[in-house]
Amino acid sequence: MNIPADTRLAVRPEDPCTIVIFGASGDLTSRKLVPALYNLYVNDGLPEPVVIVGCSRTQMTQQQFRDSLKSALVAAGNADLSRWEDFAARLHYKDVVYDSSPSFKDLAASLHRLDRQFHTRGNRIFYLAVPPLLYPKIAEMIGQAGLSREGENGNGWARIVVEKPFGRDLKTALQLDQILHGSFKEKQIFRIDHYLAKETVQNILVLRFANSIFEPIWNRRYIDYIRITAAETLGVEHRAGYYEQAGVIRDMFQNHMMQLLALTAMEPPSIFEADWVRDERVKVFRALRPFPVDRLDENIVLGQYGPGIIDGKEVPGYRQEPGVDPESMTPTFARMKVFIDNWRWQGVPFFLTSGKRLSKKLTEIIIQFKEVPHSMFRTLLGEDITANRLTLGIQPDEVINLTFQTKQPGAKVCLQSVTMHFDYQQEYKGPFLDAYEKVLLDCMQGDHILFWRQDGIELSWFFLTPILEQCEICLGRMIQLHPYKAGSWGPKAAQELMGAIGVTE
Ligand code: BG6
């Protein structure tokens, strides 16, 4: 892909830096991080100079490291490798033993050497692309090796990037935080939620707060209910080890679904700055009405996929997937009816749905408005007038659709629903940043707006932990695990949860 000069990224981070990736021989590095860094490089989006140091337990030479990443780029279908050799010259490799202080001392010495050689001024990002169990040890070792202290011993700034899961409940999230804070200050910690970095997710705030026509009606007076859906066709793939322990609530709700909810429901911050925006997101979590744990079935439906057909192909059920317990009770689908106890949202249900092996890959937010308070057309048409609906399509279709009533042309008064359609890509000619490119860029610029702050994580767990505990105790008793066919829209009970107020799929 040849990118014309005028469509390259406008913002290139100013500070030179070294990006140290732990877990460099793993999947995340080859599938997401290095392709993202390479694309940024091709789009002139990386600072100059920049050095990338891969670290892992595997012994390999620099050349083997570079070759393996090149093969991964080719496998991912990245056709334009014309600048690969330039980029590869910035890739270095260092094997590290994660629980060994001498090994981290050795790493520190190598990083200082690279700083002197490439003039990266001691600025460093430490990216933990490793299993979460290793986060505490690596963070501690970075600290012990003196690499987290900013402005000392040849260091410039130091930032650490962690991926979800941030703990598996409130208690473990607090423990992880304590360990991270043993070496890093809050402003040095970047907790990724790749959903926040999706263009269309960021557009929610622009739509709401850069237009004056939506905000006045964005409340309980005009909105009947809101549906937030993140449906996937993929199954558990090769991640049974992780997913069996996580399930859909930890995997999708604690992070991505909560953020989509917060952006949809939050109040306008006074300025578009990380802490102002994060303060408002956190207030939404604080206002979440706790679930009545003795009546969970009225608010949550959990499901697990059975065998079925996706894209014309037969696929196995969850319990038949490699590595999954044949009697597993892990939910792969959940729908929750959530309320936010504040003036804006009192009484408006938010239906949050996410599941694997559903009919279609689809992430969207539907704002369903109330019906007209009085229909002057009722003598002609009866009472029934379809209410307005605003759909924010996040993926794969990046769209905004507004549905409203018009008169059908002709002598008689007949209404028809029409849709005003905006396609996010239609006018845009520049390069597209994928979510990982965006978060890496923001981290290099020290901008926290797209990242979780610890108080948000705690509140999100505070809301979900009692549900998880109840589900884990009660599955099969107070709350059931409903089977659903792969390729369907989830269990029937999930439709019934919405059907109670007349919501249809
Ligand atoms: C990840 C989950 O965070 O998000 C995965 O761990 C899920 O299970 C993925 O498939 C979905 O992300 P996206 O961007 O494909 O919607």
Side-chain angles (χ1 to χ4, degrees):
M1 156 185 55
N2 269 334
I3 299 183
D6 61 339
T7 59
R8 290 194 177 153
L9 287 180
V11 207
R12 175 201 276 258
E14 277 175 19
D15 293 351
C17 70
T18 301
I19 302 169
V20 184
I21 303 176
F22 294 97
S25 55
D27 210 38
L28 182 65
T29 304
S30 56
R31 276 195 320 122
K32 298 280 186 192
L33 299 180
V34 169
L37 288 166
Y38 179 65
N39 274 341
L40 283 174
Y41 181 70
V42 170
N43 285 301
D44 291 340
L46 289 185
E48 273 301 340
V50 69
V51 170
I52 299 161
V53 179
C55 298
S56 80
R57 291 175 281 208
T58 314
Q59 303 263 349
M60 61 178 143
T61 63
Q62 196 133 289
Q63 197 50 46
Q64 283 167 331
F65 179 56
R66 291 175 180 174
D67 290 347
S68 71
L69 296 177
K70 186 175 182 189
S71 318
L73 277 189
V74 173
N78 194 321
D80 172 29
L81 287 174
S82 56
R83 296 189 62 194
W84 172 257
E85 292 308 323
D86 288 351
F87 176 75
R90 291 144 202 277
L91 292 173
H92 300 263
Y93 185 75
K94 178 92 188 81
D95 55 291
V96 169
V97 180
Y98 292 140
D99 54 1
S100 151
S101 297
S103 179
F104 272 77
K105 290 246 158 62
D106 203 24
L107 171 65
S110 303
L111 293 177
H112 288 304
R113 247 192 330 272
L114 287 168
D115 279 340
R116 285 192 296 274
Q117 188 181 345
F118 293 98
H119 309 288
T120 37
R121 292 195 224 144
N123 296 325
R124 298 186 195 107
I125 292 176
F126 298 99
Y127 199 115
L128 304 192
V130 290
L133 267 178
L134 292 170
Y135 292 173
K137 191 82 243 160
I138 297 179
E140 200 185 318
M141 288 291 169
I142 295 172
Q144 273 183 23
L147 290 167
S148 60
R149 285 194 296 276
E150 300 187 301
E152 288 179 26
N153 306 326
N155 296 342
W157 47 252
R159 294 171 190 155
I160 187 164
V161 183
V162 284
E163 292 257 347
K164 74 166 188 69
F166 313 114
R168 51 174 285 109
D169 52 23
L170 181 56
K171 190 167 146 225
T172 48
L174 289 168
Q175 284 164 354
L176 172 64
D177 186 57
Q178 209 180 10
I179 292 170
L180 289 175
H181 276 109
S183 304
F184 294 90
K185 300 195 183 79
E186 180 65 26
K187 77 167 181 43
Q188 295 176 278
I189 304 173
F190 289 73
R191 302 176 190 85
I192 287 192
D193 187 318
H194 78 280
Y195 264 57
L196 280 178
K198 291 181 190 279
E199 280 288 351
T200 35
V201 171
Q202 292 170 52
N203 191 43
I204 300 170
L205 289 191
V206 177
L207 177 87
R208 290 190 55 197
F209 303 134
N211 294 294
S212 62
I213 58 171
F214 296 112
E215 239 355 70
I217 53 169
W218 208 265
N219 57 48
R220 64 190 297 276
R221 277 191 71 190
Y222 297 96
I223 293 179
D224 198 9
Y225 61 85
I226 291 184
R227 278 173 50 188
I228 304 181
T229 304
E232 296 185 77
T233 49
L234 287 180
V236 67
E237 299 177 283
H238 56 280
R239 300 163 73 214
Y242 151 76
Y243 200 85
E244 274 281 88
Q245 301 302 316
V248 68
I249 298 183
R250 291 191 176 90
D251 187 49
M252 291 294 291
F253 279 74
Q254 192 277 331
N255 32 71
H256 312 321
M257 300 303 283
M258 283 293 148
Q259 289 294 357
L260 293 178
L261 172 69
L263 293 172
T264 310
M266 68 190 246
E267 298 299 318
S270 56
I271 44 169
F272 190 61
E273 284 285 338
D275 271 327
W276 279 254
V277 174
R278 298 196 296 180
D279 285 346
E280 296 304 335
R281 294 206 298 249
V282 158
K283 283 188 207 160
V284 174
F285 302 141
R286 220 172 258 143
L288 285 170
R289 183 185 305 169
F291 281 121
V293 281
D294 52 337
R295 287 180 282 121
L296 276 185
D297 271 342
E298 291 173 17
N299 295 278
I300 300 182
V301 172
L302 298 178
Q304 188 187 69
Y305 66 82
I309 296 188
I310 300 260
D311 293 334
K313 279 202 211 108
E314 280 186 27
V315 295
Y318 179 69
R319 291 179 183 182
Q320 289 85 52
E321 299 274 19
V324 171
D325 177 351
E327 291 179 14
S328 170
M329 294 296 276
T330 301
T332 60
F333 171 99
R335 173 166 293 160
M336 292 183 188
K337 181 160 69 163
V338 169
F339 290 93
I340 297 173
D341 281 337
N342 61 20
W343 277 48
R344 186 192 281 265
W345 294 118
Q346 192 52 239
V348 178
F350 287 73
F351 292 97
L352 311 186
T353 307
S354 181
K356 292 208 176 279
R357 286 283 191 231
L358 295 179
S359 168
K360 204 169 151 196
K361 170 85 179 163
L362 172 78
T363 306
E364 67 176 15
I365 299 172
I366 291 179
I367 317 292
Q368 180 64 48
F369 291 95
K370 292 185 173 170
E371 288 175 11
V372 291
H374 164 77
S375 167
M376 66 178 202
F377 302 108
R378 67 187 184 286
T379 47
L380 298 171
L381 307 165
E383 291 293 344
D384 214 16
I385 294 192
T386 310
N388 301 116
R389 171 178 277 202
L390 181 68
T391 304
L392 313 181
I394 309 288
Q395 59 183 16
D397 299 331
E398 304 191 322
V399 293
I400 298 175
N401 288 329
L402 177 64
T403 307
F404 55 96
Q405 300 297 311
T406 55
K407 180 185 169 301
Q408 233 175 33
K412 270 175 63 187
V413 176
C414 280
L415 301 192
Q416 67 173 353
S417 270
V418 292
T419 298
M420 216 150 81
H421 172 78
F422 165 72
D423 187 334
Y424 205 71
Q425 320 265 346
Q426 72 201 11
E427 296 294 329
Y428 184 67
K429 304 260 181 311
F432 288 98
L433 288 184
D434 99 328
Y436 274 93
E437 291 168 43
K438 183 80 180 109
V439 286
L440 283 163
L441 203 54
D442 281 8
C443 186
M444 287 182 263
Q445 285 164 327
D447 183 352
H448 276 95
I449 219 159
L450 300 181
F451 297 84
W452 278 88
R453 202 170 56 187
Q454 178 62 16
D455 53 352
I457 291 186
E458 286 171 22
L459 285 162
S460 170
W461 279 124
F462 182 74
F463 175 66
L464 291 172
T465 299
I467 305 171
L468 282 163
E469 281 168 358
Q470 285 303 313
C471 291
E472 273 151 23
I473 305 166
C474 301
L475 270 179
R477 281 190 290 139
M478 285 166 71
I479 180 145
Q480 291 177 28
L481 184 65
H482 299 267
Y484 62 94
K485 246 175 126 168
S488 70
W489 276 113
K492 196 160 157 267
Q495 175 55 46
E496 284 157 9
L497 185 74
M498 300 198 302
I501 61 158
V503 180
T504 48
E505 291 285 6

